[in-house]
Amino acid sequence: MTFSEILVQLRGVYPELVLSILICAVIGLDMLVPLRLSRVACGLLSLAGTSLALLFAFVEPGRPGMEALTFGAAVTHDRIAAFFRILLLLGASASFLFLLRSDETVGYRQGEYCALILGAVLGACFLVSSDNLVLFVVGLETLSLCSYVLAGFLKHERLSAEASLKYVIYGGVASGVMLFGLSYFYGLTGTLSIEACARALLALDAGGPSMRLAAAMILLLILAGVGFKIAMVPFHFWCPDIYQGAPTPVTAFLAVVSKGAGFGALLRLLSPFFAASTPALTTFDVPVLFGCLAVVTMTFGNLVAIRQGDVKRLLAYSSIAHAGYLLLGFTVAAPVALEAILFYLFVYLFMTFGAFWVVVVLVNRLGSSSIDAFRGTAAKAPFLFAALFVCLISLTGIPPTAGFAGKFMLFKLVVGAGIDQMAAGARPLAAFYFFLALAGVLNSAISLYYYMRIARAMVFDKSEGETPMGEDFFDRAGAAVFALPTLALLYFTPVLDLIRWTAR
Amino acid sequence: MTVIFYLSAIIAVAATFLAITRTNAVHALLYLAVSLLAVAMVLFTLGAPFAAALEIVIYAGAIVVLFVFVVMMLNQGTATIRRERAYLTPSMWIVPGLLTLVLFAELVCVVAWVPEAAGAPAEAIGPKAVGMALFGPYAIAVEMASLLLLAGLIGAFHLGRRDEE
């Protein structure tokens, strides 16, 4: 590839290009401003730049000739990539709002914080739009490396440093396991193309007993790496400690952007397995495997969340449970399934950010994220409480929120698959699908209990002594930015159009 | 070539196993260096001499030296100097030395007479081919890797810097 050819190819990755330039710009800016202005200056520059990247991500996919700009089949411009880019950049922009509001990182230079968030999003963007396993792994590692440092950003606090160290060790092992699987894959098939990945695995599967075992093993090893990112049981052990120890804006970032990127990677690698025309692997059925993982993940997350006393830890288990709900979408082979997954991810972004926004403000004022510290705060910050309440009932899946619509789509999908299997005469499989839907509904009922524990503490419990609680304009504005879409996303047609366009 | 490949692979696995089971950091590093040399030998037998050379220069050379520097910086004072002398007793060198000797014998074999033998890879991938691949189909991955390093640098800078005020 000559230099001029590379310049032409760069036109295909404008959002990523903007992010890369922004990383350098924000570090440069941080050298010029005094420490007390560091947060505002770097935060605003990053927010503006990320918004520009988001604009490109919206406009670019429709441009003619984009299909040719692939850097020699290294990146792809398909619809899933376009959708996830928008989702991730939206998440990144929101993360900078969090940075501007949270007082937890004050006292440190914020240029590095912004650069690391931007680096993580850049890695995530390439992760979801790569068509080559080398780029896939480099993107994943960039996302991970930045997340490790972000988790330990408050380097003088024990919990934060501990979170970072745990994250590095778990993450390193998960990456290693996945790379081990990928090296088998490359050794046996001789291809690094992600597009050919599923086909190559199926060809391996048809090649005799030992190859069949290899195909199953490769799939499971890759799943370990991606399962770590989305906090799927049994790769979830890192999640509660890191969510609790990391600064709250970072926790929100990990819960939404890192998890969203993980789901993007999963869809990218395995989506052919969910097409109706793809034959099943002989060793196990991929949709059934995902069904079992989904039930275990959501049940574990919800049951353990009940006993948590710290809101960030509780939201960590809740985010494990939500990974379980999302995995339900992977059990059905149809475009509708993709639509349900993408819609749920979009809703998840707003309701999770909304809940974390209120936690950020409460932690600013109270200095603690335990449920006990939140007692009696509803009366002093009614608007924030209302926003949190909306997000919590949306996380539970109660109408009229968008969370209800998201869960309804997922459960309807699974029930529909069950009815189809019943009509086709496959009774055990039909029963399995009905069981999945039932497990989902029961789990939502369990989650209502622990989400309402937070709300109850804020409204009914009396606080001991004076709580320094209140709310100002920016607290309210931010809460509204996340809570209003949580209420009304269902009726917002551009988003629905985008999702239908992606899933078609 | 096949025999040499498997022999090097066994040495690599054994040395890595010994490296992670040592309780003494310096001993572990010694085995790590042997393991990296064995991996370089594996790469050589697979027809990637350039990658093998990089493995030795960068990993067995620069990175192991960095590790040794860190170990030295963490242990300071006369008491530790005496202890450090005790680390590298002659008996400590026997096993790594033997493993390295085997690797050296392999290298002599390969350089002296094996390239024409049956089982050698069809063509060795030289530096030019590696360069063409890096700036051809992998151009974007290379750029992304450089940003990964930049992110690592920024992270290290944040964790290592002294606080202002």
Side-chain angles (χ1 to χ4, degrees):
Chain A
M1 215 184 284
T2 63
F3 184 63
S4 56
E5 272 171 347
I6 290 181
L7 282 186
V8 172
Q9 295 287 324
L10 278 179
R11 285 184 202 153
V13 288
Y14 274 145
E16 286 87 349
L17 210 56
V18 171
L19 289 178
S20 327
I21 296 168
L22 203 56
I23 292 177
C24 305
V26 84
I27 289 282
L29 178 73
D30 198 27
M31 292 176 191
L32 301 176
V33 297
L35 179 60
R36 73 196 151 76
L37 290 179
S38 171
R39 178 169 75 161
V40 176
C42 297
L44 285 180
L45 175 67
S46 307
L47 185 60
T50 317
S51 310
L52 181 67
L54 185 59
L55 189 70
F56 276 126
F58 261 116
V59 180
E60 288 289 283
R63 216 180 56 186
M66 281 292 277
E67 291 74 25
L69 304 175
T70 59
F71 278 98
V75 293
T76 170
H77 295 291
D78 66 2
R79 293 174 176 196
I80 292 183
F83 173 86
F84 273 95
R85 252 188 201 164
I86 294 173
L87 186 82
L88 295 172
L89 288 168
L90 208 58
S93 313
S95 304
F96 292 118
L97 288 182
F98 273 81
L99 169 72
L100 288 168
R101 186 82 305 226
S102 171
D103 292 339
E104 282 178 64
T105 51
V106 166
Y108 293 100
R109 282 257 163 208
Q110 306 293 321
E112 287 100 49
Y113 184 98
C114 295
L116 288 168
I117 292 261
L118 291 167
V121 177
L122 179 65
C125 281
F126 274 120
L127 176 64
V128 296
S129 65
S130 63
D131 201 5
N132 181 301
L133 284 172
V134 174
L135 188 61
F136 181 87
V137 170
V138 176
L140 184 71
E141 285 307 310
T142 312
L143 170 63
S144 301
L145 188 100
C146 294
S147 311
Y148 302 153
V149 183
L150 283 170
F153 195 80
L154 309 174
K155 56 187 175 180
H156 299 303
E157 280 187 26
R158 208 183 56 84
L159 272 182
S160 183
E162 182 190 323
S164 181
L165 184 65
K166 280 186 180 162
Y167 204 12
V168 170
I169 293 172
Y170 282 122
V173 172
S175 297
V177 169
M178 190 179 81
L179 279 171
F180 191 59
L182 291 180
S183 70
Y184 271 153
F185 174 75
Y186 181 60
L188 289 170
T189 63
T191 174
L192 284 173
S193 160
I194 289 179
E195 200 209 337
C197 180
R199 229 179 313 123
L201 273 180
L202 286 166
L204 267 187
D205 189 55
S210 59
M211 289 294 128
R212 203 177 296 155
L213 182 66
M217 229 176 82
I218 289 167
L219 195 66
L220 291 179
L221 290 175
I222 293 177
L223 204 57
V226 183
F228 167 79
K229 272 271 157 272
I230 61 173
M232 172 182 80
V233 174
F235 310 110
H236 65 281
F237 292 102
W238 59 278
C239 192
D241 286 345
I242 278 109
Y243 277 35
Q244 188 184 8
T248 316
V250 175
T251 309
F253 177 81
L254 292 179
V256 175
V257 179
S258 180
K259 192 181 285 250
F263 273 103
L266 201 59
L267 279 175
R268 175 137 300 283
L269 281 174
L270 300 179
S271 54
F273 279 110
F274 309 114
S277 52
T278 313
L281 283 182
T282 10
T283 31
F284 52 78
D285 199 3
V286 179
V288 172
L289 172 75
F290 273 97
C292 299
L293 287 172
V295 170
V296 175
T297 304
M298 64 178 133
T299 312
F300 175 85
N302 280 323
L303 287 182
V304 183
I306 291 177
R307 296 184 56 86
Q308 299 308 315
D310 185 284
V311 176
K312 278 160 84 178
R313 221 175 157 79
L314 187 149
L315 286 174
Y317 283 106
S318 131
S319 105
I320 295 176
H322 281 275
Y325 299 130
L326 275 159
L327 285 174
L328 278 182
F330 287 77
T331 57
V332 182
V336 201
L338 191 56
E339 208 171 294
I341 294 171
L342 298 182
F343 182 74
Y344 199 81
L345 272 172
F346 225 99
V347 178
Y348 176 78
L349 181 141
F350 282 103
M351 58 194 186
T352 309
F353 270 144
F356 273 110
W357 180 269
V358 179
V359 175
V360 161
V361 175
L362 286 166
V363 171
N364 275 353
R365 300 277 156 84
L366 306 172
S368 160
S369 59
S370 80
I371 296 184
D372 287 342
F374 287 9
R375 283 183 195 161
T377 43
K380 290 182 179 152
F383 192 91
L384 281 178
F385 172 74
L388 179 64
F389 191 72
V390 166
C391 292
L392 289 180
I393 64 171
S394 180
L395 283 165
T396 319
I398 296 175
T401 54
F404 165 72
K407 268 195 185 148
F408 182 74
M409 279 166 86
L410 281 171
F411 295 163
K412 193 182 105 186
L413 179 79
V414 176
V415 171
I419 292 172
D420 288 350
Q421 294 295 343
M422 191 77 115
R427 277 175 173 266
L429 206 52
F432 178 69
Y433 278 119
F434 291 139
F435 165 70
L436 287 182
L438 184 69
V441 173
L442 285 179
N443 266 293
S444 305
I446 300 173
S447 70
L448 179 66
Y449 172 74
Y450 63 80
Y451 287 130
M452 285 310 116
R453 256 183 75 207
I454 306 178
R456 196 195 63 187
M458 289 177 74
V459 177
F460 295 115
D461 292 354
K462 290 279 175 293
S463 59
E464 294 143 1
E466 269 306 293
T467 30
M469 192 56 212
E471 53 187 4
D472 62 20
F473 171 73
F474 288 111
D475 295 339
R476 289 183 186 155
V481 163
F482 299 117
L484 284 181
T486 307
L487 264 181
L489 194 63
L490 190 54
Y491 312 105
F492 191 55
T493 42
V495 171
L496 299 180
D497 288 344
L498 173 71
I499 288 162
R500 289 213 186 89
W501 174 81
T502 315
R504 199 166 51 212
Chain B
M1 215 57 154
T2 318
V3 176
I4 292 180
F5 169 80
Y6 280 110
L7 202 56
S8 324
I10 290 169
I11 293 178
V13 173
T16 312
F17 180 77
L18 286 168
I20 60 172
T21 48
R22 293 308 90 179
T23 47
N24 185 318
V26 178
H27 298 172
L29 277 175
L30 210 53
Y31 282 111
L32 183 65
V34 175
S35 152
L36 293 169
L37 291 176
V39 171
M41 198 63 213
V42 168
L43 290 173
F44 193 87
T45 56
L46 288 174
F50 186 63
L54 286 183
E55 178 85 17
I56 290 176
V57 172
I58 297 173
Y59 285 90
I63 290 183
V64 170
V65 168
L66 260 179
F67 271 123
V68 173
F69 266 138
V70 171
V71 172
M72 278 163 61
M73 266 159 45
L74 291 179
N75 300 324
Q76 284 174 345
T78 44
T80 43
I81 289 177
R82 224 176 308 124
R83 207 169 54 222
E84 267 173 26
R85 279 217 190 92
Y87 284 164
L88 296 173
T89 51
S91 65
M92 211 15 250
W93 289 96
I94 294 175
V95 182
L98 274 179
L99 292 178
T100 321
L101 212 63
V102 177
L103 286 176
F104 182 70
E106 285 179 9
L107 188 66
V108 171
C109 283
V110 171
V111 173
W113 45 268
V114 172
E116 304 83 28
E123 52 170 335
I125 310 292
K128 188 179 175 189
V130 174
M132 293 303 279
L134 286 185
F135 287 94
Y138 295 107
I140 189 96
V142 170
E143 290 308 317
M144 196 53 214
S146 71
L147 279 161
L148 170 62
L149 290 178
L150 177 66
L153 196 65
I154 294 172
F157 177 66
H158 168 68
L159 294 178
R161 83 191 296 178
R162 285 216 178 86
D163 293 334
E164 295 174 48
E165 270 96 280

